[in-house]
């Protein structure tokens, strides 16, 4: 009988779920229920773009990118992963096509409000890691009311690798290499192709959370309360 | 007669196989509650530390001066949110061929709702679910805060 010690946190479990989903079953475009939320104004498609290099070389992100530690993303509110009302412990960032981050684009469906996006890189089993790497960044994301598609920015960074026993593995983002870009034109092109029946994207570029109080807004709940 | 014996034997074998198959999924779980001594996240606050807070008098600046800035502020409900998590026991799960053990934790939230003038309207400490194994946390922070806000009952600092 083997015994293991565990003290799982909701964040860890949600990340695990996301990683498992990323590994095998790629998600489809928004479901019928999600489209209904968008029509009702209680949800919006949030578009995020990754433009990464690894050791300076361009890469194609795919389902393995989360598992091998290249990059992972998690949306939180009040410090906990955002749980979709229809299914607990669901992941929040999805792919466009089977296992592929279509040119680095991913999306999720969120209600209007303020969220915090954790973007992480690096695997913990390296024999030696380069100096000056950063494993996690946090951004504030605002999803405006009455938006059907929201583009929150393009994350550009270089991931540095470290040594494994055999080969190399991502160690983290190169310090100082991360930039949040505004590529609304590309977001509009993607949205026109994938979400032709929805309004063109609204741009609401995320910004770095630098510490202090995390302000949270949930405008729909505020409206409900005032009724 | 031989045919009957064969049928019985097949039935018996089938029953044993079925039982073994069911035992494969048999599990046991034990939860042993313990004292809430160890804080593993955040800063524990007690009623004495909150004695300076007076509804209608104390403002946000004074609270931040005493307790530091809150980790979260729910703008729409003008609510400051502090939290801390304590160990409150251990759990052991056993199953044929394996098992697991670990600590259980319980989270507390100090919620301070302000009025439009940024003065304290009401405040309270709410506890998490009695048994929180992290991934078995029944209610999210948001749900628990929402429930407290909806309760509309003014209360002095206390533990629910």
């Amino acid at each position: 009988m083997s015994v293991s010690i565990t003290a799982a946190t909701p964040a860890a479990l949600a990340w695990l779920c996301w990683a498992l989903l990323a590994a095998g079953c790629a998600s489809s475009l928004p479901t019928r229920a999600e489209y209904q939320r968008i029509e009702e104004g209680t949800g919006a498609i949030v578009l995020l773009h990754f433009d990464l290099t690894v050791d300076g070389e361009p890469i194609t992100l795919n389902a393995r990118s989360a598992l091998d530690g290249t990059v992972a993303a998690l949306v939180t509110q009040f410090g906990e992963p955002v749980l979709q009302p229809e299914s607990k412990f669901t992941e929040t960032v999805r792919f466009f096509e089977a296992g592929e981050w279509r040119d680095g684009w991913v999306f999720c469906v969120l209600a209007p409000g303020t969220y915090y996006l954790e973007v992480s890189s690096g695997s913990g089993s390296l024999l030696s890691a380069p100096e000056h790497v950063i494993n996690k960044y946090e951004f504030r994301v605002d999803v405006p009311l009455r938006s059907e598609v929201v583009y929150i920015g393009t994350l550009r960074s270089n991931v540095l690798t470290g040594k494994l026993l055999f080969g190399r593995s991502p160690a983290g983002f190169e310090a100082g290499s991360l930039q949040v870009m505004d590529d609304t034109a590309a977001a509009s092109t993607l949205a026109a192709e994938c979400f032709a029946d929805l309004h063109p994207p609204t741009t609401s570029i995320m910004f770095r959370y630098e510490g202090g109080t995390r302000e949270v807004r949930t405008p729909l709940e505020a409206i409900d309360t005032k009724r | 007669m031989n045919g009957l014996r064969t049928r019985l034997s097949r039935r018996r074998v089938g029953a044993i196989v079925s039982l073994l198959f069911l035992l494969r999924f048999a599990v046991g779980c034990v939860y042993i509650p313990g004292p809430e001594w160890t804080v593993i996240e955040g800063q524990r606050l007690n009623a004495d530390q909150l004695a300076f807070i007076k509804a209608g008098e104390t403002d946000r600046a004074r609270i931040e001066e005493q307790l530091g800035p809150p980790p979260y502020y729910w703008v729409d409900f003008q609510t400051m949110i502090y939290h801390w998590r304590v160990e409150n026991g251990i759990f052991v799960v056993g199953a044929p061929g394996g098992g697991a053990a670990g600590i259980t934790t319980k989270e507390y939230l100090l919620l301070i709702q302000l009025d439009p003038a940024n003065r304290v309207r009401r405040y309270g400490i709410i506890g998490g679910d009695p048994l929180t194994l992290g991934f078995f946390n029944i209610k999210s922070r948001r749900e628990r805060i929402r429930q407290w806000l909806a309760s509309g009952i003014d209360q002095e600092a206390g533990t629910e």
Side-chain angles (χ1 to χ4, degrees), chain A residues 1-10 13 77-80 83 88-89 212-219 221-222 224-225, chain B residues 69-77 81 91 94 97-103 133-135 137-138 140-143 145-146:
Chain A
M1 174 151 168
S2 61
V3 175
S4 63
I5 304 295
T6 55
T9 64
L13 191 85
Q77 202 174 48
F78 298 110
E80 293 182 329
L83 305 175
K88 290 213 164 193
F89 307 129
T213 301
R214 290 176 179 83
E215 289 197 341
V216 176
R217 288 174 193 273
T218 56
E221 282 189 86
D224 278 350
T225 310
Chain B
Y72 307 101
Y73 181 69
W74 198 340
V75 177
D76 307 281
F77 297 99
I81 300 152
F91 74 93
I103 57 165
L133 300 177
F135 45 86
N137 195 0
I138 307 301
S140 67
R141 279 181 193 156
R142 180 185 167 136
E143 286 174 298
I145 299 165
R146 200 70 182 85

Side-chain angles (χ1 to χ4, degrees), chain B residues 12-77:
Chain B
R12 204 169 285 164
V13 169
I16 290 167
V17 168
S18 302
L19 189 64
L20 286 173
F21 183 75
L22 287 174
L23 279 174
R24 171 79 179 77
F25 299 101
V27 294
C29 179
V30 178
Y31 162 59
I32 304 162
E36 298 181 359
W37 286 334
T38 311
V39 179
I40 55 172
E41 190 185 332
Q43 180 196 352
R44 195 203 308 255
L45 297 165
N46 58 42
D48 289 345
Q49 290 167 285
L50 307 178
F52 74 95
I53 302 176
K54 305 286 180 215
E57 292 177 23
T58 316
D59 64 6
R60 181 174 176 174
R62 172 98 169 94
I63 293 167
E64 293 201 11
E65 191 182 295
Q66 289 290 118
L67 306 179
Y72 307 101
Y73 181 69
W74 198 340
V75 177
D76 307 281
F77 297 99

Side-chain angles (χ1 to χ4, degrees), chain A residues 108-124:
Chain A
C108 56
V109 178
L110 296 172
T114 307
Y115 301 86
Y116 290 84
L117 174 72
E118 295 178 10
V119 179
S120 55
S121 174
S123 57

Side-chain angles (χ1 to χ4, degrees), chain A residues 7 35 53 59 67 77 107 114 120 127-128 143-144 160 177 184 193 204-205 214-215 220:
Chain A
Y35 267 116
T53 54
I59 54 158
L67 289 181
Q77 202 174 48
F107 76 98
T114 307
S120 55
L127 289 180
S128 70
V143 180
L160 294 178
S177 72
T184 301
E193 191 182 325
S204 172
I205 300 295
R214 290 176 179 83
E215 289 197 341
L220 290 178

